[in-house]
Amino acid sequence: MDEFEIRNIKLSDAGEIQAICEEALGYTCTLSLVEQKIRSLDDKREAVFVACKNGSIAGYIHIEKYDTLYFETMCNILGLAVKKEFQKMGIGKMLILAGENWAKENGIAYMRVNSGISRVEAHKFYKHLGYESEKEQLRFIKKI
């Protein structure tokens, strides 16, 4: 693991992030959209960390401060993805720990993550790291 560095995202990472989103998460997105999203990150509310090896990105985590009226402030994992060739090497765990450290530094005591029902391996990963499944739910989206 010493070969991997965890650092904040840079605009120049956009191309690799786009490829990881498509390969590991199955989301088709354009380079310009990823660049726009990186430019608009609000560092008071969110962070993106990347895991790098020899200047190439192996994976990333996108987290945000998450508030509701019914629970203490949480840190929500918006995205966690690792390139296939780097999976099962501890990169995901390193990224989760970076997110948890960011949360602690920002006075946040709870982490939250949603994971698709079909992502069985991801569920095992989160459980292994101490995350507990509290409920099953459906996600609804409407284009307006």
Side-chain angles (χ1 to χ4, degrees), residues 24-37:
L25 299 177
Y27 292 119
T28 302
C29 53
T30 65
L31 177 59
S32 62
L33 176 67
V34 176
E35 288 173 338
Q36 173 195 343
K37 296 297 184 174

Side-chain angles (χ1 to χ4, degrees), residues 37-94:
K37 296 297 184 174
I38 292 171
R39 279 189 200 98
S40 67
L41 289 170
D42 178 356
D43 63 0
K44 292 181 183 104
R45 187 184 65 76
E46 62 188 322
V48 179
F49 299 106
V50 297
C52 299
K53 180 178 181 180
N54 300 326
S56 180
I57 296 175
Y60 80 94
I61 187 169
H62 182 188
I63 54 176
E64 73 168 345
K65 184 177 178 182
Y66 180 78
D67 275 312
T68 65
L69 296 176
Y70 55 83
F71 202 83
E72 292 183 46
T73 299
M74 293 179 274
C75 181
N76 193 28
I77 299 172
L78 297 174
L80 173 66
V82 176
K83 287 181 181 176
K84 284 200 186 303
E85 65 263 31
F86 294 111
Q87 291 179 358
K88 309 281 188 211
M89 296 176 66
I91 304 302
K93 181 178 180 180
M94 289 174 59

Side-chain angles (χ1 to χ4, degrees), residues 25 27 62 64 66 70 74-80 96 111-119 122-123 126 131-140:
L25 299 177
Y27 292 119
H62 182 188
E64 73 168 345
Y66 180 78
Y70 55 83
M74 293 179 274
C75 181
N76 193 28
I77 299 172
L78 297 174
L80 173 66
I96 291 277
M111 295 292 292
R112 176 183 187 267
V113 61
N114 291 321
S115 183
I117 194 74
S118 65
R119 300 195 64 223
H123 304 162
Y126 291 122
Y131 287 71
E132 298 176 3
S133 176
E134 80 174 331
K135 67 180 175 180
E136 290 187 24
Q137 64 186 46
L138 297 173
R139 180 178 73 168
F140 296 90

